[in-house]
């Protein structure tokens, strides 16, 4: 038995965290770490890659994780800098043998792990962010169906629903006797709150519990395209994005709900949306870096867009009320309904001839539920540069306005917010 480092990434929880559970089993001493990567904090478009709302939600989630670790006699070490420098120093200072972490199958995250290994570090990655286990699928990921519908049909034909979640470790190994010089295990000195969400695993579980107790899944299919409020959709996405709760945990509790109250269109549609999330993850194993090219999986050129038009769009000053209301909601809350995300993205790409990559970068900066797989997948889908052979998805804003905000309630709410 030896000293190990557990590097938390987008898995800020102890429950149903296979990588952390394995580290607990293999270590005599375990140092839980979160590294705030200070490299490349700004996008090529000049704004922060992680906006205020994302930082706020992350801060609350880390504080919650620390409390959970402390309750079991451990703690969370937070450090700021480049992970390749920070982790190398920690391994040396603590004489740790390995770094355990979750696997993230996206180009920047994969490149970072490659660099760490090239430096001689023993990095043990565990895939754990999907509802289904890759090895349970009825096809190899490299040969998975390109179209979601075909993917879903094969999954359903194999009668796959979710992988069983694992419990929280009963014992967390003690911290190393020697901690790095100058490293402090900090507690938050400021109270952070979000108008919609409170970050952290405890709040994720509280939200899921009340969502199920109030029988909200039953109406999900009918209400999911609404624009205002908390209850029209599940709102699981922010906690899922940082791994404050696992998708397998949600699917398992949803399954228990169906066993108690019966399955219906709403519960199926919730599972259906979680399967979309899996699809966007798994397609990365097949196409990888190609998903991040300007043309995506196509040879389509990218039309240059002016900085002035981009500023109009992202500040909510296009003159198209529904679009402006949506972008302003995003700015004020860090959240936007799925329907509005599609509308504002379509408007930027097709009505303003904008570069889809700029829009994707703005969503990355602003959304508290930013998820690299889903964000890239959805923007490629709208832009017609992903796996869908039918091309892009331009939305008729006038029709969308009539369908989803006929009385102007949503527009009035957010246009008045400035």
């Amino acid at each position: 038995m030896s000293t190990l480092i557990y590097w938390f990434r987008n898995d800020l929880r102890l429950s149903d965290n296979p990588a952390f559970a394995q580290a607990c089993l293999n270590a005599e001493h375990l140092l839980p770490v979160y590294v705030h990567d200070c490299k490349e904090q700004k996008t090529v478009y000049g704004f922060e890659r992680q906006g205020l709302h994302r930082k706020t939600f992350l801060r609350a989630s880390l504080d919650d994780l620390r409390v959970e670790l402390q309750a079991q006699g451990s703690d969370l070490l937070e450090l700021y800098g480049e992970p390749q420098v920070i982790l190398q120093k920690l391994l040396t200072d603590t004489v740790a043998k390995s770094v355990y972490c979750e696997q993230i199958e996206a180009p920047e995250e994969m490149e970072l792990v490659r660099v760490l290994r090239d430096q001689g570090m023993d990095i043990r990655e565990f895939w754990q962010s999907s509802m289904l286990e890759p090895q349970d699928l009825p096809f190899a990921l490299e040969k998975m169906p390109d179209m979601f519908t075909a993917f879903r049909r094969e999954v359903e034909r194999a009668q796959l629903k979710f992988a069983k979640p694992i419990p929280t470790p009963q014992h967390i190994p003690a911290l190393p006797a020697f901690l790095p010089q100058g490293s402090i295990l900090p507690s938050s000195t400021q109270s952070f709150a979000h108008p919609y969400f409170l970050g952290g695993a405890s709040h994720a579980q509280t939200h899921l519990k009340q969502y199920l107790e109030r029988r909200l899944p039953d109406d999900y299919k009918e209400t999911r395209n609404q624009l205002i409020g908390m209850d029209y959709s599940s709102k699981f996405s922010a906690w899922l994005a940082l791994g404050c709760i696992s998708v397998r945990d949600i699917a398992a509790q949803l399954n228990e709900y169906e066993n108690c109250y019966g399955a219906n269109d709403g519960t199926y549609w919730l599972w259906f949306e979680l399967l979309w999330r899996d699809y966007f993850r798994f397609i990365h194993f097949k196409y990888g870096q190609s998903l991040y090219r300007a043309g995506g999986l196509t040879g389509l050129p990218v039309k240059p867009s002016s900085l002035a038009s981009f500023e109009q769009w992202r500040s909510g000053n296009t003159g198209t009320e529904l679009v402006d209301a949506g972008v302003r909601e995003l700015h004020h809350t860090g959240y936007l309904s799925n329907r509005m995300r599609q509308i504002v993205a379509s408007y930027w790409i097709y009505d303003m001839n904008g570069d889809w990559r700029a829009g994707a970068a703005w969503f990355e900066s602003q959304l508290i539920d930013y998820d690299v797989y889903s964000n890239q997948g959805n923007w490629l889908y709208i832009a017609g540069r992903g796996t869908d052979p039918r091309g892009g998805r331009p939305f008729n804003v006038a029709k969308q306005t009539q369908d989803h905000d006929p009385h102007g309630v949503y527009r009035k709410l957010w246009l008045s917010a400035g």
Side-chain angles (χ1 to χ4, degrees):
M1 301 291 278
S2 58
T3 298
L4 299 177
I5 291 171
Y6 190 79
W7 174 26
F8 281 101
R9 303 179 83 186
N10 292 331
D11 59 332
L12 305 185
R13 65 183 185 276
L14 303 186
S15 177
D16 191 36
N17 189 326
F20 185 77
Q22 192 62 49
C24 288
L25 288 174
N26 294 351
E28 182 179 3
H29 295 283
L30 182 65
L31 178 58
V33 175
Y34 185 86
V35 181
H36 296 268
D37 192 347
C38 297
K39 185 182 178 183
E40 297 180 0
Q41 290 300 300
K42 286 201 171 182
T43 68
V44 295
Y45 308 101
F47 51 81
E48 296 288 326
R49 289 193 68 174
Q50 189 179 67
L52 177 60
H53 293 299
R54 282 189 64 196
K55 290 177 181 177
T56 296
F57 193 78
L58 173 61
R59 176 72 268 148
S61 299
L62 289 169
D63 289 346
D64 192 82
L65 176 62
R66 177 175 295 105
V67 169
E68 194 173 8
L69 285 164
Q70 288 174 342
Q72 294 205 46
S74 186
D75 217 320
L76 180 66
L77 174 63
E78 289 185 55
L79 294 172
Y80 294 78
E82 296 184 11
Q84 56 266 43
V85 176
I86 296 291
L87 293 173
Q88 185 70 74
K89 187 173 189 306
L90 286 179
L91 284 166
T92 301
D93 289 348
T94 62
V95 198
K97 177 183 177 183
S98 305
V99 176
Y100 282 50
C101 64
E102 76 158 332
Q103 177 183 348
I104 302 177
E105 194 73 10
E108 287 185 10
E109 290 80 358
M110 293 170 68
E111 174 62 16
L112 174 55
V113 170
R114 186 195 66 76
V115 169
L116 296 175
R117 286 180 171 145
D118 284 351
Q119 291 179 198
M121 297 187 214
D122 181 31
I123 308 294
R124 307 288 179 90
E125 292 183 286
F126 296 75
W127 178 260
Q128 56 186 28
S129 68
S130 57
M131 181 170 62
L132 304 174
E133 291 284 9
Q135 61 267 27
D136 293 339
L137 296 170
F139 41 73
L141 289 178
E142 294 77 13
K143 297 181 179 179
M144 67 176 280
D146 280 350
M147 294 289 291
F148 172 74
T149 299
F151 168 82
R152 174 185 58 79
R153 285 174 178 163
E154 290 205 34
V155 166
E156 291 184 322
R157 191 177 297 119
Q159 298 184 325
L160 298 176
K161 291 197 72 175
F162 60 92
K164 185 179 179 181
I166 66 171
T168 303
Q170 293 297 304
H171 169 71
I172 298 177
L175 293 165
F178 172 77
L179 289 175
Q181 183 67 33
S183 65
I184 300 174
L185 297 162
S187 294
S188 176
T189 57
Q190 183 175 355
S191 175
F192 290 85
H194 185 274
Y196 287 0
F197 308 92
L198 294 172
S202 65
H203 298 296
Q205 292 291 343
T206 297
H207 173 75
L208 175 58
K209 184 173 183 285
Q210 67 84 29
Y211 185 79
L212 298 175
E213 285 180 346
R214 294 169 61 207
R215 303 286 304 274
L216 293 176
D218 295 351
D219 299 322
Y220 175 75
K221 188 177 181 182
E222 288 72 38
T223 63
R224 63 193 170 88
N225 280 320
Q226 293 178 12
L227 308 183
I228 301 174
M230 276 292 289
D231 294 342
Y232 66 82
S233 65
S234 71
K235 300 297 192 296
F236 299 150
S237 58
W239 290 291
L240 281 171
L242 284 182
C244 299
I245 192 170
S246 83
V247 66
R248 295 178 299 195
D249 192 356
I250 292 174
Q253 293 194 47
L254 182 63
N255 187 64
E256 290 179 11
Y257 178 92
E258 290 183 323
N259 291 337
C260 180
Y261 299 109
N264 54 52
D265 286 349
T267 59
Y268 172 78
W269 215 257
L270 271 171
W271 176 84
F272 177 92
E273 298 289 5
L274 295 175
L275 190 64
W276 259 109
R277 181 178 179 273
D278 267 18
Y279 167 80
F280 282 139
R281 277 163 160 67
F282 293 148
I283 206 71
H284 275 67
F285 286 89
K286 184 172 184 177
Y287 289 111
Q289 183 69 49
S290 298
L291 298 169
Y292 294 78
R293 299 182 309 196
L297 301 181
T298 74
L300 296 173
V302 174
K303 298 178 182 177
S305 50
S306 71
L307 180 60
S309 64
F310 185 52
E311 288 299 319
Q312 275 187 316
W313 178 78
R314 75 184 184 104
S315 64
N317 287 292
T318 68
T320 301
E321 289 189 346
L322 187 64
V323 172
D324 291 345
V327 176
R328 293 184 193 190
E329 180 187 5
L330 176 60
H331 171 72
H332 283 285
T333 71
Y335 187 79
L336 200 57
S337 67
N338 182 61
R339 174 60 52 174
M340 284 306 307
R341 293 181 202 203
Q342 293 176 314
I343 292 170
V344 301
S346 169
Y347 191 84
W348 168 241
I349 294 169
Y350 298 105
D351 294 78
M352 300 186 74
N353 294 315
D355 185 338
W356 69 274
R357 295 171 299 174
W362 184 240
F363 272 26
E364 175 183 352
S365 172
Q366 298 299 299
L367 286 169
I368 61 170
D369 63 357
Y370 167 72
D371 171 281
V372 61
Y373 307 104
S374 296
N375 193 59
Q376 200 72 8
N378 278 309
W379 275 91
L380 286 168
Y381 179 75
I382 295 293
R385 295 165 190 267
T387 57
D388 191 342
R390 295 173 294 178
R393 287 291 181 275
F395 280 65
N396 183 317
V397 178
K399 183 179 186 303
Q400 294 296 314
T401 302
Q402 183 59 40
D403 289 348
H404 300 290
D405 191 35
H407 305 295
V409 177
Y410 177 80
R411 281 167 286 165
K412 182 178 179 181
L413 174 64
W414 292 112
L415 292 176
S416 64

